[in-house]
Amino acid sequence: MKTLPRLLAACIAAALPMPALAAQTYALVVGVDHYPNDVSLDGAVQDAEDVYRSMNEAGFKAIKFTNEEARKDDIRKAWTDMVTEAAPGDTIIFTYAGHGAQMPELIPGDEADGLDEFLQLPGFDRNRYEETSKEIIVDNEMNAWFAEAEGKGVHVLFVSDSCFSGGMSRSIKGKTRLAPAVKVKLAPPSQEAISGANLKEADFKQVTVLAASLESQPTPEVIIDGQPRGALSWSFARAVEGSADRNGDGLITRIELEDYVFSNVKNRSEALQVPNFTPQVARSESEVVVTLTRGIPVKAEEGAAANTDAGRTVKTAKELGWTGTIALQIDGTAERPQHADGAGTPFRWDVASGVFYTPNGDVAAENVGPDRIQAVVDKFVLLDFLKAMASQNPGSVSLTPAKDIYAAGDRLRFDAPPGRYPNMLVFNLANTGEVQFLDMQAAGTNSSEFKLTDVEVVKPFGADHLITISTAEPVDAIGSVLADRNVTAETLLQALATRLDGKEASVAIQPLYTRETL
């Protein structure tokens, strides 16, 4: 499609000299779980509530529609009212969490793949299209909406946590935000669906779209903090809270948003998704997509860590929601390990087969007996701690070729570029629960990119997690712990909590899921 390749989006805003002079930001938030005529979802409304809360706290003028409230006429009126009220230089952010779907193109020759994409609202019934067609929002219609804002000099950020095509090779028990395609060619649901077809991506200079995943991928609901969620919505809510504002100036640039969202969607989806921006490249290095009208930095909350970088408050893992436990369902008879009495959607351990499953339904480890279960549990407790740290300061690493799962014999390359801090630790949390020390670079040494080249996938199979931590804090003591060949995840967690919790540190996480054959 043209402007909405996967109907997920982010927006643009003009660079302003000071947050105190920031233009107004408006927010239109839509989330749908309940689909009377289709498979319902579990986490889209929670996504909308989370995003709406973060936008209110940021000082945006926000309106929210969830479930049966999400009627096209009401959403369209809210958009029109925002465009009417907004002044040139203001921003409208439109977020959507729910089903997306495809249909034969409404205007012949309009789409390269012959398909239009649409957002599916609760009132739509594909078996009664003529009666319910006004309860979808087609990509062409959204082009027309965006053109109204751009014609007035208003910037648009569209963030849509849905999907339209793609398949996955990982075993996921959660739902995907993909409704069945409409197979037959239908009449356009509105005049806007016709006029919007004439608008091309190049016509928009003040619209940015952030998609939840690439066209070849689905958008699954994943478990975050024990609950079904959309990884993009969760990450965007944290970004708006200020976590994406690296320099604390109250403005989130396109580059800052990219760096933050790409890393955290990968972390929270366990590498099932790669977000997609349109346009693919920022229009300028200083292009602003979100203006935090209340301004950042904010005053530290009572009891919050006082350490800051560029005016940002650094919170501890517990302040970010880490509990030090995971939820675990044990199928069979076995003693419950420590730190496995948490709440929410559980991990699952099949005692008889020895298979340990993630809350998403992935195989995380094989051959897990009573002698190994504590190590595996402790690994995921530590991983949750690292994900909490990454949520406020994510780093960047890469695994090539990029896949959601790898088979025995596949060869890989892992790259961890130097961060903006002088010290770096690199280690692997293996699917066995073992901690494998890979590298340490400390201040005073020649900092360089860490690379693992031509790595072959071999047994045991499951989920490994390659970790890099960059910081200005001393890392020699942590490196000493890592260098112990018998170090456990629990011991490493204690060292990291003592030395880095609440301190400025960048964490990058690269999930690596493997199996014997695909």
Side-chain angles (χ1 to χ4, degrees), residues 152-374:
K152 193 175 178 180
V154 175
H155 306 286
V156 175
L157 166 59
F158 177 52
V159 183
S160 179
D161 206 338
S162 62
C163 64
F164 303 92
S165 63
M168 67 176 70
S169 54
R170 293 253 292 276
S171 298
I172 298 297
K173 68 180 181 182
K175 298 173 180 177
T176 61
R177 295 181 175 181
L178 173 64
V182 172
K183 300 293 187 181
V184 298
K185 186 171 178 61
L186 303 167
S190 70
Q191 182 58 41
E192 288 177 338
I194 299 174
S195 62
N198 297 320
L199 297 169
K200 310 300 180 184
E201 178 184 325
D203 296 331
F204 293 102
K205 307 300 183 185
Q206 300 184 98
V207 176
T208 301
V209 174
L210 171 61
S213 55
L214 300 173
E215 188 168 354
S216 60
Q217 298 175 314
T219 299
E221 292 195 330
V222 297
I223 303 303
I224 299 177
D225 297 332
Q227 301 297 322
R229 293 294 305 273
L232 179 67
S233 295
W234 185 93
S235 298
F236 185 70
R238 307 289 79 74
V240 171
E241 287 174 348
S243 292
D245 182 19
R246 288 289 182 94
N247 61 2
D249 64 354
L251 304 171
I252 300 176
T253 67
R254 159 70 183 266
I255 292 174
E256 285 178 321
L257 188 62
E258 279 184 357
D259 290 346
Y260 184 82
V261 168
F262 281 5
S263 294
N264 275 290
V265 167
K266 179 170 69 174
N267 292 347
R268 295 295 170 165
S269 72
E270 287 290 294
L272 278 171
Q273 296 171 242
V274 178
N276 188 34
F277 272 95
T278 301
Q280 289 188 328
V281 179
R283 295 175 174 91
S284 71
E285 185 177 348
S286 60
E287 178 189 1
V288 175
V289 291
V290 179
T291 301
L292 303 172
T293 51
R294 283 193 177 180
I296 299 292
V298 297
K299 293 182 179 179
E301 298 175 0
E302 184 177 353
N307 296 282
T308 61
D309 177 57
R312 297 191 311 116
T313 297
V314 181
K315 295 183 177 181
T316 65
K318 286 187 177 180
E319 289 168 338
L320 293 165
W322 178 71
T323 63
T325 62
I326 64 169
L328 177 64
Q329 172 185 325
I330 300 175
D331 293 347
T333 303
E335 185 176 345
R336 178 169 293 277
Q338 295 180 335
H339 318 304
D341 55 353
T345 304
F347 289 79
R348 183 168 69 88
W349 176 35
D350 187 314
V351 179
S353 67
V355 178
F356 188 88
Y357 298 91
T358 72
N360 291 327
D362 270 317
V363 174
E366 300 174 339
N367 304 314
V368 179
D371 59 330
R372 280 186 48 207
I373 184 61
Q374 188 64 61

Side-chain angles (χ1 to χ4, degrees), residues 24 60 117 122 143 267 370 419 427 435 440 488 496 513:
Q24 180 64 56
F60 302 166
E117 284 78 37
N143 285 348
N267 292 347
F427 56 93
V435 178
M440 180 177 75
T488 64
L496 292 172
Y513 280 77

Side-chain angles (χ1 to χ4, degrees), residues 346-407:
F347 289 79
R348 183 168 69 88
W349 176 35
D350 187 314
V351 179
S353 67
V355 178
F356 188 88
Y357 298 91
T358 72
N360 291 327
D362 270 317
V363 174
E366 300 174 339
N367 304 314
V368 179
D371 59 330
R372 280 186 48 207
I373 184 61
Q374 188 64 61
V376 174
V377 167
D378 288 344
K379 171 211 165 154
F380 283 98
V381 171
L382 170 56
L383 185 62
D384 280 350
F385 175 85
L386 294 167
K387 285 183 177 181
M389 292 182 65
S391 72
Q392 58 185 343
N393 194 358
S396 177
V397 292
S398 64
L399 195 65
T400 52
K403 299 180 181 179
D404 55 22
I405 194 165
Y406 300 84

